Amino acid sequence: MPTLPNLDHYWLPFTANRQFKSMPRLFKAAKGNYYTTINDRSVLDGTSGLWCVAAGHCREEIASAVAHQLRTLDYAPAFQNSHPLAFEAAERLAEFLPRGLDRIFFTGSGSESADTALKIALAYQRVTGNPLRNKLIGRERGYHGVNFGGLSVGGIAGNRKAFGNGLTGVDHIRHPLDINRNAFTRGLPQDGGIELANEFEQRITTLHDPATIAALIVEPMQGSAGVVLPPVGYLKRLREICDKYGILLIFDEVITGFGRLGTRFAVDYFGVVPDIITVAKGMTNGAVPMGAVAVKREIYDAFMANSPANAIELPHGYTYTAHPIGCAATIATLDIFENEKLVERAGNLSAHFEQAAHTLKGIPFVKDVRNIGLVAGIELESFPGKLGARAFATYLKCYEMGVLVRHTGEIIAISPPLTIEKHEIDRIFSCIAEALTSLAAEGEQGLDPTRYLKNEQQWAAHQQESHQQDATLEQTA
């Protein structure tokens, strides 16, 4: 029986901790497109870790770059000092980003990137003489991390309800998901985009003076909410409305960046350029926590031109901004993207991925399949009174069969490494089909998590028994 670590002290994020610790799902190693579990099973990574391991796991190029940097310069102060690699990483990232978005502010995560972008937008309006532009607009079902700024403009109720009101001066527009009209669309829905974007103008300008709005922040594709795709023309029309009223447009590309859609960024896929873009995840291939915000040059120049001499133009930053290790990982990751043409590879695989994803149409409980690039969302019918139970059981069953998928609500999300092979794509979706067919045969009993991962449950029970024995010995000593 594998030896488990003491599970008592670690509080897992976005996890039902009691459930997890009753059947711990632990990885001890990874390579390429696969994880190795604590009991030496191989699990195909259908989620790129958490949307972030685009180039496959444990890349020697990144490990070597990080090890060299650790031995050379482990840390340099981020305030009033820096190091050469920060500027090199910024230059390399600017070359990879869409043209014009070439002034880079480094952060430690996607959540920090979102809050940084919002603060830059608000501060920009002040330095350009528009202090009344202090409202922020997000979108229903939007996800922009878990810090208070991103949480406030985000639109996932379950993420918000436990933490009070958040920021004031925030409103939301409607999300673009319309299953009744667009179920099982291959790629982008064709209808409703312009109409939905026009609602932003009609609704927000009715409720607010547009001259008080600083920025609109959206994910080009809403990933964490379950792969919600924008209809054709929607993002372009949002750009036009923002231009009309002088509102900054922020794209959150933490998920959609770095080849996920078969282009470098969603900006390239949709042909719509925002004023600010946030990135993270794939930027370091998930190897080191790192993020960034890229702004148009005129935004950066406005801070430089309108701030007093020798003043701090943007009073914002983090201890780990442009951390040397993160910069080394970023450069090594960009080298891999260039040398292996991973973006082009993802684009070439997209048609096969789409075809494989839509083989799930007609499988029990599949309500919708949505896809773009190397991303798919499979929405399931809920069991009455047990929202999310079917997707969770599907996740557990797939894990048993050696495939890692992600579940959110009643949606299964697939986003494999860009190094995925066609036969592995086929395996992911055939595994989901088999899991759902099995659930259909088992009925309500199949929703019971204790039916799955018996080995993991045995480990947890054995560990609990050992802890109790240790506690008894301590009491009698």
Side-chain angles (χ1 to χ4, degrees):
M1 180 179 294
T3 301
L4 290 182
N6 186 338
L7 303 178
D8 293 344
H9 301 287
Y10 177 38
W11 191 343
L12 286 83
F14 276 114
T15 300
N17 276 251
R18 289 165 294 176
Q19 190 284 327
F20 176 88
K21 291 176 181 181
S22 71
M23 54 169 70
R25 301 171 292 281
L26 301 176
F27 299 122
K28 68 177 184 179
K31 189 69 176 176
N33 300 331
Y34 293 85
Y35 282 107
T36 301
T37 68
I38 193 172
N39 60 332
D40 294 318
R41 289 200 308 121
S42 178
V43 175
L44 176 58
D45 183 1
T47 61
S48 295
L50 199 56
W51 305 90
C52 51
V53 187
H57 290 276
C58 292
R59 296 299 302 250
E60 182 59 36
E61 304 94 319
I62 300 173
S64 295
V66 166
H68 174 75
Q69 189 58 44
L70 274 171
R71 297 186 182 100
T72 305
L73 176 67
D74 58 344
Y75 178 78
F79 305 162
Q80 311 300 327
N81 295 274
S82 192
H83 57 95
L85 212 61
F87 298 91
E88 181 182 347
E91 182 180 20
R92 289 291 306 278
L93 187 58
E95 291 170 351
F96 192 77
L97 282 157
R99 184 181 298 275
L101 292 160
D102 60 2
R103 295 297 183 262
I104 312 297
F105 193 104
F106 284 117
T107 70
S109 67
S111 291
E112 288 184 3
S113 292
D115 275 35
T116 297
L118 297 174
K119 291 177 76 173
I120 288 174
L122 292 168
Y124 169 79
Q125 302 294 1
R126 284 183 173 271
V127 300
T128 55
N130 298 294
L132 294 180
R133 285 191 180 273
N134 54 20
K135 294 175 183 173
L136 300 166
I137 309 299
R139 188 165 57 179
E140 295 170 357
R141 297 184 68 161
Y143 181 79
H144 304 290
V146 295
N147 293 344
F148 269 102
L151 202 63
S152 298
V153 295
I156 299 176
N159 293 355
R160 295 157 52 92
K161 64 183 180 181
F163 307 110
N165 296 326
L167 299 182
T168 59
V170 173
D171 206 344
H172 296 78
I173 61 175
R174 191 156 58 98
H175 67 75
L177 181 61
D178 188 346
I179 292 180
N180 291 332
R181 179 187 290 187
N182 297 315
F184 297 102
T185 295
R186 292 180 179 238
L188 299 183
Q190 295 296 313
D191 300 324
I194 305 301
E195 171 190 347
L196 188 63
N198 283 338
E199 186 181 297
F200 164 50
E201 181 176 26
Q202 297 156 4
R203 178 178 174 184
I204 296 300
T205 59
T206 298
L207 295 170
H208 307 277
D209 178 352
T212 66
I213 298 174
L216 166 68
I217 182 169
V218 297
E219 301 158 272
M221 174 208 76
Q222 293 175 256
S224 294
V227 187
V228 178
L229 307 182
V232 171
Y234 171 76
L235 294 174
K236 181 180 179 182
R237 182 62 186 139
L238 287 184
R239 173 76 274 182
E240 292 170 353
I241 295 167
C242 287
D243 288 341
K244 178 179 178 180
Y245 293 105
I247 299 169
L248 293 179
L249 178 60
I250 304 170
F251 275 5
D252 186 330
E253 292 230 35
V254 170
I255 282 177
T256 54
F258 296 92
R260 179 53 53 193
L261 306 188
T263 54
R264 288 186 176 187
F265 294 90
V267 170
D268 307 300
Y269 187 98
F270 293 103
V272 178
V273 182
D275 303 293
I276 301 173
I277 185 172
T278 68
V279 296
K281 292 190 183 291
M283 189 171 118
T284 63
N285 201 44
V288 177
M290 186 78 161
V293 176
V295 305
K296 286 183 173 178
R297 191 173 304 181
E298 50 264 38
I299 292 177
Y300 175 86
D301 289 347
F303 281 91
M304 301 304 115
N306 296 314
S307 300
N310 300 318
I312 295 173
E313 298 90 1
L314 181 67
H316 172 72
Y318 304 97
T319 299
Y320 299 116
T321 292
H323 194 286
I325 310 309
C327 290
T330 295
I331 294 168
T333 299
L334 290 172
D335 285 342
I336 292 172
F337 268 84
E338 180 181 350
N339 295 336
E340 299 184 8
K341 295 182 168 38
L342 287 185
V343 175
E344 294 85 348
R345 190 178 195 283
N348 292 335
L349 284 170
S350 293
H352 183 87
F353 185 87
E354 176 179 271
Q355 182 65 30
H358 283 271
T359 61
L360 294 177
K361 184 176 182 180
I363 296 297
F365 312 125
V366 176
K367 181 178 178 181
D368 188 21
V369 175
R370 303 183 285 272
N371 73 280
I372 183 173
L374 291 187
V375 188
I378 301 99
E379 185 146 349
L380 307 178
E381 298 170 356
S382 293
F383 189 92
K386 295 185 177 182
L387 178 63
R390 188 161 277 148
F392 183 54
T394 304
Y395 150 77
L396 291 175
K397 184 65 174 177
C398 287
Y399 188 91
E400 271 192 351
M401 293 189 288
V403 173
L404 180 67
V405 302
R406 175 159 169 71
H407 65 97
T408 175
E410 207 66 273
I411 299 162
I412 299 295
I414 303 300
S415 56
L418 309 187
T419 52
I420 197 80
E421 300 290 347
K422 287 183 178 180
H423 70 91
E424 293 169 330
I425 292 173
D426 295 340
R427 181 185 170 196
I428 290 169
F429 291 107
S430 64
C431 180
I432 295 170
E434 185 177 343
L436 289 170
T437 302
S438 174
L439 285 179
E442 295 182 6
E444 187 174 0
Q445 287 185 333
L447 304 182
D448 180 3
T450 64
R451 293 173 64 87
Y452 305 98
L453 305 181
K454 295 297 186 180
N455 284 341
E456 285 79 355
Q457 293 184 59
Q458 184 181 1
W459 304 339
H462 182 266
Q463 175 168 296
Q464 184 64 28
E465 181 181 339
S466 297
H467 285 178
Q468 290 174 349
Q469 290 174 351
D470 291 343
T472 300
L473 289 174
E474 289 179 3
Q475 291 173 358
T476 58

